[in-house]
Amino acid sequence: MACEPALDWQAEQEQAGVTIWRAEDSQQRTWIKAQTQAETPYWSLLNLLRDTANAPQWIDDVIQVVSLPGTDKYTDLVYTEFHAPWPFSDRKMSTQSTLRFFPGHQKMHIQVAQHPDFNDANHLVAMQDIEGCWSATQTSSTHTLITWAGTAKPGGILPDWLVRTTMKQSTMNTFKALKTQLAKKKYQEKPLAYPEVP
């Protein structure tokens, strides 16, 4: 089962073992997909994503990421702030992430969707139409295929060319840093906290 939508993906960039694709959906939204192989168990991606204090070390242009209590252990509510290119205002994003395992396949998906604003008092520009999915599939005893596909409108008034360029470069930078982070023992050695998943 694919995590990303079935679109006409066009390869845009390949660098340091990371490949970036771009596509447009029926609503004229721009989607970006990134994929890489990492020498790590598949659940280490979840450990990294939930270590929100470390997010500025690998998510490009992030100011802060704050995790809030979800409705159950498969749901995370996440508030994120991003730097925007000068002279534009910084952005914020409120999302709900839903975790799904595929028992017997060493695979997981994390579906990301927009959530009502968690912080409407700071007057940052709120991103809209947020949708995406992380996928981590163990491909061997040592390696995992990691994919992200997502779309979002930055809010406010930004030139389309700047949005496309920023999305592509930011995703590339993030995936390069992600590979470095996933090599750390603290993410690889922390066990999967879901005993029901074989």
Side-chain angles (χ1 to χ4, degrees), residues 7-171:
L7 300 173
D8 183 19
W9 296 101
Q10 303 294 317
E12 291 271 307
Q13 190 177 11
E14 187 169 356
Q15 211 175 88
V18 177
T19 305
I20 302 289
W21 294 266
R22 184 171 65 89
E24 305 289 325
D25 66 14
S26 59
Q27 302 172 55
Q28 284 75 55
R29 297 182 302 172
T30 297
W31 284 74
I32 294 290
K33 180 171 73 168
Q35 191 170 78
T36 192
Q37 283 271 2
E39 191 172 350
T40 191
Y42 77 97
W43 66 81
S44 63
L45 175 63
L46 180 62
N47 292 335
L48 175 62
L49 291 172
R50 286 183 168 170
D51 184 10
T52 54
N54 188 51
Q57 301 301 314
W58 66 280
I59 301 177
D60 197 48
D61 288 327
V62 152
I63 300 169
Q64 67 167 336
V65 178
V66 179
S67 182
L68 303 170
T71 55
D72 55 49
K73 65 180 182 178
Y74 294 97
T75 304
D76 294 297
L77 303 179
V78 183
Y79 171 77
T80 308
E81 294 179 357
F82 294 95
H83 291 292
W86 184 89
F88 303 103
S89 300
D90 292 341
R91 263 51 183 175
K92 62 182 177 180
M93 181 172 72
S94 298
T95 56
Q96 175 176 301
S97 298
T98 305
L99 175 63
R100 179 187 178 188
F101 291 103
F102 296 80
H105 294 279
Q106 295 186 306
K107 178 178 182 177
M108 69 179 185
H109 286 174
I110 303 171
Q111 202 76 38
V112 179
Q114 186 169 332
H115 191 278
D117 195 356
F118 299 128
N119 188 353
D120 59 2
N122 65 5
H123 307 299
L124 295 183
V125 178
M127 298 175 68
Q128 303 293 331
D129 292 344
I130 303 158
E131 187 178 346
C133 188
W134 287 97
S135 174
T137 305
Q138 194 100 18
T139 55
S140 71
S141 60
T142 58
H143 285 75
T144 294
L145 181 66
I146 297 174
T147 306
W148 161 257
T151 185
K153 293 181 180 177
I157 301 174
L158 290 175
D160 288 343
W161 67 266
L162 179 60
V163 173
R164 289 193 298 269
T165 302
T166 301
M167 285 176 67
K168 182 175 72 174
Q169 192 56 54
S170 180
T171 304

